[in-house]
Amino acid sequence: MVGPVAAPPAQRAPWIGLALAALIIVTSFTLPHLLGWEVYARKDPTEFGTVEPLHGFWSPRWFGPGTLPAIVLAVLAYRYADSLAQRLPWRWLMLTAYAASLTWMLALAFTDGLAGVAHVFAMDTEYLTTAQKIDDIPGMFDEFIERIPYAHPDNWVVHVAGHPPGAFLYFIALVRLGISDPLWVGLITTALGATSVIAVLTTMRILGAASAARRVAPLLALSPAAIFVAVSADGLFAAVAAWGMCALAGAATAGTRGRIAGLATVAGLLLGYAVMMSYGLPLLGVLAIAVLILARGSWAPLPIAAAAALLVVMIFAWAGFAWWEAYPVLAERYWDGAAKDRPFTYWVWGNIGALLISAGPMVGSGVALLMAVPRRDVLNRDNTRVVLWLAGAAVVMILVADLSRMSKAEVERIWLPFIPWLTLSLALLPQRWLRPALGLQLATALIIETLLYTSW
């Protein structure tokens, strides 16, 4: 009698990854309550605290202005997105992916009405309120580092202090242009953040993985991360980083020295500015190396891109903000504040729970498949090779960020620049998985947006 034939690892991997993702999500939600763990610092115990690992609280809203449009879009996407992604000409695919992504973000946000987009940007702890008070940009740079510590009598609010001034300058620029209404600021920032989908898919095409890009396009455009892109500046950071990678891929595959130099300069300027928007984004260097490796070892853009990125950093230093001087000051403020009351023993894996909600539980299957891809596929199939390197780089960046102890909680938005690249792992799913995977991702976003008030 012959026993059952064991399934190949690549067939079991999606199930194993999804099961582990579900386990991490459930335990990260329930264990703090079951065991009485205090994993957040709270001035008011009722303000947050019932939905760890997310930053928010239970607030079911069964029907809001955006609920019906979100459900309609989810149903249409489940039915038609995969076939459209395969049939549309590339230009129309990009436009459709962007439109779907932006509509998905706004529909989810408008579950709470117009305030769903505006409420975060109107908070005193965010950038906009402080940006409206800045009338001297050179003076802001001169005192930026000294106003980071809590001990300073006029210390910066949380988000201004917690980021390099590149993020703050964006909001100051909007105010100088006469755009200071939180709703319009939110709409503009969301529209820019939604361009990430075009940049990531274009990067894949440049690197020779157009068919994989088409497979993953619906999952990338309609990610649960849309909830957080629409209400935080981190979605903008993700877009700047993604376009920098796209330019770097273009430079590495360009056919002339002029195009190499031009695109490498653009890449360096964008990636350098991304580093000036978030302290965690030097980790993009891992992804940049992966892009260059995928471009068949074309390292010609590297010195030009590095010089352009360094130029951005040095301009900020000349203006008064030296990243290497500011980071230790920021770390001190971080450990004087929330970090000391957020136990690493929980957040080292609780962060992964928050990531799996923001990116969607299906990325558990994608990451499992990354580890199960046969070596012959990695070496011989361009689409698989591109997905492996880009998504693998995202895994490395996330692990380093997690183990740094500088990301304890709030990663559902902080890690937004990494999530699109991690989502590419879903291109490895078997064809029969693609529609159910999209359905689960869509359902996750609708459930989270309906049941929880997320603070971002």
Side-chain angles (χ1 to χ4, degrees), residues 29 50-51 54 56-61 112 357 447-454:
F29 266 110
T50 58
V51 292
L54 298 182
F57 50 87
W58 293 107
S59 179
R61 286 97 64 220
D112 294 313
I357 296 166
I447 291 169
I448 295 298
E449 186 60 49
T450 299
L451 296 183
L452 306 182
Y453 176 91
T454 57

Side-chain angles (χ1 to χ4, degrees), residues 287-340:
L287 185 59
I289 295 300
V291 168
L292 294 175
I293 290 172
L294 288 169
R296 303 300 177 186
S298 177
W299 299 95
L302 181 59
I304 301 172
L310 183 61
L311 176 64
V312 174
V313 174
M314 296 312 296
I315 288 174
F316 273 76
W318 169 80
F321 175 84
W323 191 98
W324 53 91
E325 293 177 359
Y327 182 77
V329 180
L330 179 277
E332 183 178 352
R333 170 168 172 153
Y334 179 66
W335 286 101
D336 284 344
K340 68 177 185 294

